């Protein structure tokens, strides 16, 4: 879906615009291990550096990116397999708008939530 396709759609401050999401979870090619430091524009309050080997820190990083990120951030910081595997817990850490927007776009997340 092109970025301009939904330009007339009403945007919610509580959910990403659907055109900000990747076209496919395959577009998410973020790191799967190591240490990740988020830019201040996304993590302005609190922890900015995350060890992906620590599940709590991984969930924290994904929560921040999903809540504060944009299209390029999703692709850069999120990994599709980690996102799907973490989704049953992660979705509980997100507001309804974010959770619904992602689940409406990606059936894999709906399936992970139902499992």
């Amino acid at each position: 879906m092109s970025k301009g396709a939904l330009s007339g759609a009403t945007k919610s401050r509580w959910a990403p615009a659907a055109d900000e999401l990747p076209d496919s979870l395959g577009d998410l090619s973020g790191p799967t291990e190591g240490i990740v430091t988020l830019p201040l524009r996304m993590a302005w309050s609190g922890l900015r550096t995350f060890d992906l080997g620590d599940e709590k820190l991984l969930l924290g990083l994904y929560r921040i990116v999903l809540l504060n990120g944009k299209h390029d951030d999703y692709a850069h910081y999120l990994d599709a397999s980690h996102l799907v595997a973490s989704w049953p817990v992660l979705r509980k850490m997100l507001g309804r708008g974010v959770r619904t927007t992602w689940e409406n776009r990606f059936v894999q997340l709906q399936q992970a939530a139902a499992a």
Side-chain angles (χ1 to χ4, degrees), residues 89-104:
V89 174
L90 184 59
R91 70 186 304 272
K92 296 172 187 173
M93 301 167 65
L94 304 169
R96 184 182 330 179
V98 175
R99 182 176 60 240
T100 301
T101 300
W102 280 82
E103 288 180 355
N104 285 345

Side-chain angles (χ1 to χ4, degrees), residues 7 9 15 28 33 56 63 76 80 91 96 102 110 113:
S7 60
L28 304 179
E33 59 185 23
K56 286 183 181 180
R63 179 179 180 271
H76 184 76
R91 70 186 304 272
R96 184 182 330 179
W102 280 82
Q110 293 172 20

Side-chain angles (χ1 to χ4, degrees), residues 66-85:
L66 290 167
L67 292 174
N68 302 323
K70 301 291 183 201
H71 185 272
D72 291 341
D73 299 319
Y74 303 142
H76 184 76
Y77 293 106
L78 303 178
D79 171 73
S81 60
H82 279 340
L83 180 65
V84 173

Side-chain angles (χ1 to χ4, degrees), residues 22 24-33 52 55 58-59 61-62 66 74-90 102 106 108-109 111-113:
S24 162
L25 287 182
D27 295 341
L28 304 179
S29 58
T32 58
E33 59 185 23
L52 298 183
E55 184 179 6
L58 176 107
L59 290 170
L61 170 89
Y62 276 48
L66 290 167
Y74 303 142
H76 184 76
Y77 293 106
L78 303 178
D79 171 73
S81 60
H82 279 340
L83 180 65
V84 173
S86 301
W87 192 253
V89 174
L90 184 59
W102 280 82
F106 303 110
Q108 302 96 316
L109 298 180
Q111 293 167 343

